[in-house]
Amino acid sequence: MRLGILSDIHSNLEALTSCIEHLKAQGCDHFLVLGDIIGYGANPNECCEIVRSLKAPCLRGNHEEAVLNPQAREDFNPAAQEAVEWTAKNLSSENLQWLASLPKIYKEALWTAVHGSLSDPINEYLVDESSARETFMLLHTPICWIGHSHIASAFLRKEDSLLGIQKRNFPQGGTLKIEPGFQYIINCGSVGQPRDRNPLSACGLWDSEAGVVFFFRVNYNIALAQEKILQAGLPEILALRLSYGW
Ligand code: ZN
């Protein structure tokens, strides 16, 4: 199976369609979506509808939580809060209902998927060794797919070993070999708002037979996504940051 990995789409329709096109051209027959489909960008309904059409497992992120529950917006910065309020007003009731149905954790035989981490599925940024260790302790499959930090990266360890956790970053793309006897926490990066100083859209592909994960950076129409954000009256910073990948 060739599984396409999409996370943190953030209502960026141009990035989402470019990534799906790229993954389909690489032979992806299934998809996994790791949450934060909405928030920040100008096309929340279109992104929800495309993701729904993939018939893929889809996780709940902190932006879904914030749209559904105003209390969950309190820790958001002002631009993110404004975007969540705009998104909540503009989403169709059908898409809101679908977002409310998304699970916090999803498990298959060979992998587990969560937006944040296994210790805090919605809100934890899994970016260092100590947060990776906590998730490894709760992980019972070889792979855990995560999103949320918008940083294309992976943690790995020998199964059952809490020492010697390694971290790799993939800001320019790359490949990761999945070895038997090891466990992996993998973030393929953000489709719609990359934050590793590379403005190209990020997505991933797991070839389960070959035992390889590919980290891709995909060109998309950044200028159009920015123009739509400005036209929608969303905070200017949400458009500007797309140019820098931050
Ligand atoms: Zn996000």
Side-chain angles (χ1 to χ4, degrees):
M1 183 178 65
R2 288 168 85 77
L3 181 71
I5 315 283
L6 301 162
S7 190
D8 297 276
I9 296 159
H10 287 296
S11 303
N12 187 334
L13 177 63
E14 288 67 37
L16 177 61
T17 50
S18 297
C19 279
I20 291 175
E21 200 177 307
H22 177 78
L23 291 170
K24 284 191 170 165
Q26 305 291 318
C28 277
D29 38 22
H30 292 82
F31 290 87
L32 167 65
V33 182
L34 292 153
D36 279 7
I37 301 140
I38 50 150
Y40 300 137
N43 290 109
N45 285 307
E46 293 81 354
C47 289
C48 285
E49 275 137 33
I50 289 174
V51 168
R52 290 168 67 185
S53 75
L54 295 175
K55 310 252 179 271
C58 184
L59 278 296
R60 178 188 295 231
N62 55 314
H63 284 255
E64 280 77 46
E65 196 66 37
V67 149
L68 296 163
N69 169 13
Q71 265 184 347
R73 297 171 199 174
E74 284 166 7
D75 294 340
F76 277 39
N77 67 49
Q81 244 175 50
E82 212 179 311
V84 163
E85 271 149 35
W86 182 91
T87 303
K89 261 190 241 137
N90 283 278
L91 273 172
S92 70
S93 55
E94 204 187 321
N95 284 330
L96 270 171
Q97 243 174 45
W98 172 69
L99 293 175
S101 75
L102 301 180
K104 292 182 182 177
I105 296 181
Y106 181 91
K107 214 174 143 191
E108 291 266 343
L110 294 177
W111 51 265
T112 307
V114 68
H115 181 67
S117 75
L118 291 182
S119 29
D120 182 350
I122 299 288
N123 287 310
E124 184 175 22
Y125 289 94
L126 201 164
V127 287
D128 58 25
E129 209 183 296
S130 74
S131 50
R133 185 176 298 115
E134 283 180 33
T135 282
F136 274 131
M137 285 166 73
L138 298 167
L139 181 64
H140 302 294
T141 54
I143 298 176
C144 184
W145 304 106
I146 62 164
H148 195 39
S149 70
H150 298 209
I151 307 282
S153 54
F155 292 87
L156 58 133
R157 68 159 185 175
K158 255 203 173 99
E159 233 167 297
D160 299 324
S161 158
L162 289 176
L163 299 168
I165 293 173
Q166 293 177 49
K167 186 183 186 190
R168 305 223 180 118
N169 287 312
F170 299 91
Q172 308 297 330
T175 58
L176 176 70
K177 182 92 184 101
I178 304 298
E179 308 277 3
F182 282 79
Q183 279 183 305
Y184 300 83
I185 300 169
I186 301 173
N187 188 334
C188 291
S190 166
V191 170
Q193 194 195 78
R195 292 182 193 158
D196 40 17
R197 307 274 167 190
N198 178 350
L200 298 182
S201 181
C203 59
L205 188 168
W206 175 44
D207 183 328
S208 60
E209 272 109 71
V212 182
V213 175
F214 298 89
F215 295 81
F216 296 122
R217 299 312 282 240
V218 178
N219 220 328
Y220 77 99
N221 194 337
I222 296 178
L224 181 55
Q226 290 174 314
E227 198 185 303
K228 286 181 179 176
I229 287 172
L230 298 175
Q231 272 178 8
L234 285 158
E236 192 183 19
I237 180 72
L238 299 178
L240 288 176
R241 64 186 301 170
L242 297 180
S243 295
Y244 304 105
W246 168 82

